[in-house]
Amino acid sequence: MRLDKFLKVSRIIKRRSVANEVCDMARVFVNNNPSKPAKQLKEGDIIAIEYKTRTLKARVLKIPAGNVSINEASSLYEIIEE
């Protein structure tokens, strides 16, 4: 699954267009490498998102086949550092 779509489906970032913009600004890293929105994720990857005052790190636990419910969204990743 693409990075931007995963960020939206998992509700880490609310909209896919915002996820694209954040990736284009080089604020999203996958396994410590700057990533483009089309980066293909796999289970076990670590995503880091740099905000102005903090960095969010999350490990991908599951890659969904499509959209998931709000209740299931938080089971797709594990917060490592906030």
Side-chain angles (χ1 to χ4, degrees), residues 6-24:
F6 180 82
L7 292 172
K8 183 228 176 245
V9 169
S10 65
R11 292 175 173 78
I12 294 174
I13 295 179
K14 301 295 182 202
R15 283 177 267 141
R16 192 167 176 182
S17 60
V18 174
N20 272 318
E21 290 174 17
V22 174
C23 290
D24 288 338

Side-chain angles (χ1 to χ4, degrees), residues 23 40 68:
C23 290
Q40 292 294 316
V68 296

Side-chain angles (χ1 to χ4, degrees), residues 19-82:
N20 272 318
E21 290 174 17
V22 174
C23 290
D24 288 338
M25 293 183 338
R27 292 187 172 205
V28 179
F29 299 84
V30 175
N31 299 326
N32 294 324
N33 297 316
S35 297
K36 297 290 183 187
K39 167 82 172 151
Q40 292 294 316
L41 291 179
K42 59 186 182 304
E43 292 178 5
D45 283 346
I46 296 178
I47 301 170
I49 303 171
E50 292 181 349
Y51 296 98
K52 286 186 179 182
T53 59
R54 65 184 175 101
T55 300
L56 173 75
K57 285 189 179 183
R59 177 178 292 118
V60 177
L61 298 178
K62 286 192 285 188
I63 301 292
N67 289 334
V68 296
S69 70
I70 292 173
N71 298 332
E72 296 172 359
S74 62
S75 69
L76 299 177
Y77 62 92
E78 167 190 24
I79 299 291
I80 298 172
E81 183 180 318
E82 192 166 2

